[in-house]
Structure formats: C-alpha cells, structure tokens
Amino acid sequence: MSPRLRLAALVALGTVACSSSQPVVGSPSPSQTADVDAPAGETVTGNTAVTLGVPPGHLPRPGHCRIWVPGTPPGHQAKARSCDGILAHAPAGSMVIYRPYKDKKIVRVRYVDRERVGVITIARVFEVGSGRLVREERQ
C-alpha cells in the first residue's frame, strides 16, 4: 500500500471514529437541561446531578449560594458562600445556585447570560434529588 493511500485510509478511519454516536459526557448547558417553555412540574431528567450538571455533594448548604461554571470540574468550582453580592462575581454563562432555608428540598438556579456578566436570563426551581422542574421565572 502506498504511503498516500495509507494516509487516506487513516484519515477516513479517524473521521468515522470521531463521528460515533456516543454521548458527550460533561455539564449540560441550560438549553440541554430543560426546555425554557416546559410546563411547571414536568420531569426534566432523572436527578439533580444530571439536570444541573452539579454532583449532589457540591450543592450549597441551605441558606447559601454557589457559582457554578458548566464544563469546569467540580473540584475547581468556587466554594459555596453567602448570597450577598454573589451575582457580581458570576461570570458569563455560569449559574448561581441557591438553597433556601425554608424549603431544603428545592434548589433555585439563576442562569447568567452567556455574553453579559451580571445579567440573569432565567431562573428555575428544581427539587433536590429528583431534578424535577418545579417552576420557571423569566427575568
């Protein structure tokens, strides 16, 4: 087999291998987690970790907030903290996750615009554990 033909065969093989239908693993973007127009109460996915891309142990404790940047490994995310002024520190495309004291079974997620820092595009409330979308609040 000539070197030119061998190179063409390797390129073709690489193209087929790279275009497999295997799912991409990682943090879902807001558009992947729930349809913006989904009715309240619709089950989006099987659990909060899949819905938000945030492992359960990384959700903030009740009464606190956490900035979560999709695609960044959990160990490299900012620590949970007080919610005071947190939006000023949230980069474009991130999520601000809040767990209220009053209802520890829900998590409120505010999605920061992908291009504009400090601009919330939508807020969603999910059940902790099940990942069920409870309601949506347009901003």
Side-chain angles (χ1 to χ4, degrees), residues 40-58:
E42 175 183 326
T43 300
V44 179
T45 60
N47 62 50
T48 308
V50 173
T51 304
L52 301 177
V54 180
H58 292 272

Side-chain angles (χ1 to χ4, degrees), residues 117-135:
V117 176
V119 177
I120 300 298
T121 57
I122 195 163
R124 294 184 175 133
V125 178
F126 298 92
E127 281 184 353
V128 172
S130 73
R132 186 177 72 85
L133 178 62
V134 176
R135 70 178 175 274

Side-chain angles (χ1 to χ4, degrees), residues 18-41:
C18 289
S19 65
S20 73
S21 62
Q22 295 297 319
V24 176
V25 177
S27 297
S29 69
S31 64
Q32 292 172 316
T33 58
D35 183 4
V36 172
D37 297 320

Side-chain angles (χ1 to χ4, degrees), residues 27-31 33 48-49 51-54 59 65-71 77-78 86-87 89-98 108-113 120 122 124 126:
S27 297
S29 69
S31 64
T33 58
T48 308
T51 304
L52 301 177
V54 180
L59 290 174
C65 287
R66 184 171 199 171
I67 296 171
W68 193 268
V69 180
Q77 299 285 351
I86 197 165
L87 189 57
H89 300 282
S94 65
M95 301 182 293
V96 177
I97 302 169
Y98 169 64
R108 185 170 190 256
V109 181
R110 293 180 290 171
Y111 294 92
V112 179
D113 188 271
I120 300 298
I122 195 163
R124 294 184 175 133
F126 298 92

